[in-house]
Amino acid sequence: MPLPKLPSKPATILATQDYPTAGAARPATKTPAAKKVAAPIIEAAIAEVAKPVRNAATKIKQVAALMVAKPAPAVAAPAAVAAPAAKAKPAAKGKVTPIKPVKQAEQPHPAKHKPVEVQLKSSASRAADQRGISKLFVLDTNVLMHDPSSLFRFEEHDVYLPMMTLEELDNHKKGMTEVARNARQVSRTLDALISNTDDDAIEHGILLSKLGNKDAKGRLFFQTRLQSADLPAGLPVGKADNQILAVVRSLESEQEGRPVVLVSKDINMRIKARALGLPAEDYFNDHVLEDTDLLYSGIVQLPDDFWNKHGKDMESWQESKNGYSSTFYRVTGPFIPSLLVNQFIYLEPKNGEMPFYGQVKQINGKTAVLQTLRDFSHTKNNVWGVTARNREQNFALNLLMNPECDFVTLLGQAGTGKTLLALAAGLAQVLETKLYNEIIVTRVTVPVGEDIGFLPGTEEEKMSPWMGAFDDNLEVLNKSDSDGGEWGRAATQDLIRSRIKIKSLNFMRGRTFVNKFLIIDEAQNLTPKQVKTLVTRAGPGTKILCLGNIAQIDTPYLTEGSSGLTYVVDRFKGWTHSGHVTLARGERSRLADHASEVL
């Protein structure tokens, strides 16, 4: 499906002096009905113009001339009168560009409408940015427990820690959870910052760059005395959130002229602060992207005139690698700098010519080397009985079957074939080509609804309920083998099961996988730190796959912008030994496809 083209000229609002004058307008034949309706409309228009601007007779004449020249559309004129009015030319040529109405078929589906964009910064913060002055950020406890390095993410601005924030940190430091580990890490960082400093340094602020963080150019302040502020009488005084709000209001009165902003991950805390007239913001420094529509898709459509502009000094040759012969092209042109290494490109001409599907292998300035792809949609190139059903699946199988590609990420909605393609490629390279020893499957155990409690058995037995998706896909892959009969299929299934190991995410620390095909399923529920822990387990000859759908995040406090899957897709793009494909079309069933669109 070709990408929509952007409009060549944006619509502009005309200035007052650019409106067409009455003399330039073409006189129109007025019917008596049109005169009767046009008169009150003209009077209303003149009154509206005369309100804000006095002595503007010229503008009134312009409005009157326009209204007389074009009768009101509400008049039910005869067909003989309505036809010329519809074909009337603009009054002044070259000045007024009529905007064509959008057809009903071109409007997007109501379910796909983008949400209204929310301003991430408060008005006080935006005003301070325009004036170029530094701000004082008061941190809530949940910001520090969410990102232990958040102290050093505020650039040249200062950071203030209320005493209640330190108290809450102390309450959350016990345990083995991620929150407890983060609380302990923040405490160790604060201890390192505050060591070897006297009382005056604490009063005037500690340099945040003391530990080697050069990006942090501000200072760290602690609450060293009791600060009282008048809050509404109905708010409980003993609650921690209200005490932090009181500190923010007190700092505003103490440091007049300097913007004081509360930073909190708690939505209700920010709502309370704004209700009290205090500036509050979310901590959005952990977001990889503000808009997930900008996420790297791994695929780009070439312009129709690509070969005309880039085929002047083109070189081509053939190479045979991994038992497959492919054609290479070296092209030079203005479109090349916008491409990335291992990005897929395609051109599907509408004049009946052969389509071109390729992959960028090298980029040097305005010169790139393009490689043609293997057609996995053909039956002779099937992978464990599976063939590509659309363009994106063909791109994904080219990545999965390429031994030079060590890290692959596949995104897509439900039913696009992520798990089936990954499992088929793993079985083909483990059992047929013997490129890898075994398949290792892992995923984060986050339930969709209520947890059903502890599961009995060994590690693999405890993980088996979470791997229902792989069992479903194994059944599909085993059904294709009908020659061996029922006994043959059972033996094949036992052999496949012996080569697939299901591991828990909790025991990955310190492990090294050598010659393994590692599949990380539901990777959108992982934090960036967990993804880093898994990807760094790779030893020599190991291939890692990350599968997921960022629209189905079940982990609390994770969003599409801060997910670990979004993080690795953005950081690995352009690396020679990694690739990414966003699968677009669902191939599960017509019911699943329709449900993904309308629900």
Side-chain angles (χ1 to χ4, degrees), residues 125-240:
S125 188
R126 291 196 300 272
D129 290 340
Q130 293 175 358
R131 292 162 56 194
I133 59 175
S134 65
K135 294 166 273 192
L136 180 64
F137 287 106
V138 181
L139 299 191
D140 194 3
T141 318
N142 47 48
V143 175
L144 295 171
M145 292 190 296
H146 175 74
D147 183 7
S149 62
S150 58
L151 287 170
F152 310 105
R153 300 289 180 90
F154 292 94
E155 298 175 344
E156 74 274 10
H157 308 289
D158 296 336
V159 176
Y160 188 94
L161 293 183
M163 199 57 66
M164 184 51 64
T165 298
L166 300 177
E167 284 286 336
E168 288 189 306
L169 272 179
D170 188 58
N171 294 336
H172 288 91
K173 69 181 181 182
K174 296 178 182 177
M176 295 300 294
T177 62
E178 188 78 14
V179 171
R181 279 193 290 267
N182 290 345
R184 290 193 294 269
Q185 185 175 339
V186 171
S187 299
R188 287 191 290 268
T189 304
L190 293 175
D191 181 52
L193 283 169
I194 208 169
S195 61
N196 300 325
T197 55
D198 51 10
D199 295 339
D200 294 337
I202 295 177
E203 186 71 27
H204 295 94
I206 303 168
L207 285 173
L208 287 167
S209 58
K210 177 182 176 182
L211 301 181
N213 298 278
K214 296 180 181 179
D215 294 334
K217 300 173 183 176
R219 292 177 176 269
L220 173 65
F221 293 91
F222 290 94
Q223 182 183 358
T224 54
R225 60 183 181 277
L226 182 64
Q227 292 171 321
S228 59
D230 296 331
L231 288 176
L235 288 177
V237 182
K239 195 171 181 181

Side-chain angles (χ1 to χ4, degrees), residues 408-431:
V408 179
T409 48
L410 297 181
L411 260 70
Q413 63 180 7
T416 49
K418 303 181 297 292
T419 309
L420 183 67
L421 295 177
L423 200 53
L427 291 174
Q429 294 175 92
V430 169
L431 296 173

Side-chain angles (χ1 to χ4, degrees), residues 410-416 418-419 422 441-448 463 465-470 472-473 505 519-527 530-531 534 545-555 558 563-566 568 588:
L410 297 181
L411 260 70
Q413 63 180 7
T416 49
K418 303 181 297 292
T419 309
V441 183
T442 186
R443 60 170 285 180
V444 60
T445 53
V446 179
V448 176
M463 287 296 295
W466 298 99
M467 297 300 167
F470 283 89
D472 299 340
N473 286 284
L505 193 70
I519 301 175
I520 305 170
D521 197 22
E522 304 294 341
Q524 77 274 1
N525 289 323
L526 296 169
T527 64
Q530 289 172 325
V531 168
L534 285 173
L545 276 66
C546 283
L547 320 175
N549 177 14
I550 55 174
Q552 293 180 341
I553 296 178
D554 302 316
T555 305
L558 270 188
S563 169
L565 185 57
T566 310
V568 291
R588 181 171 286 166

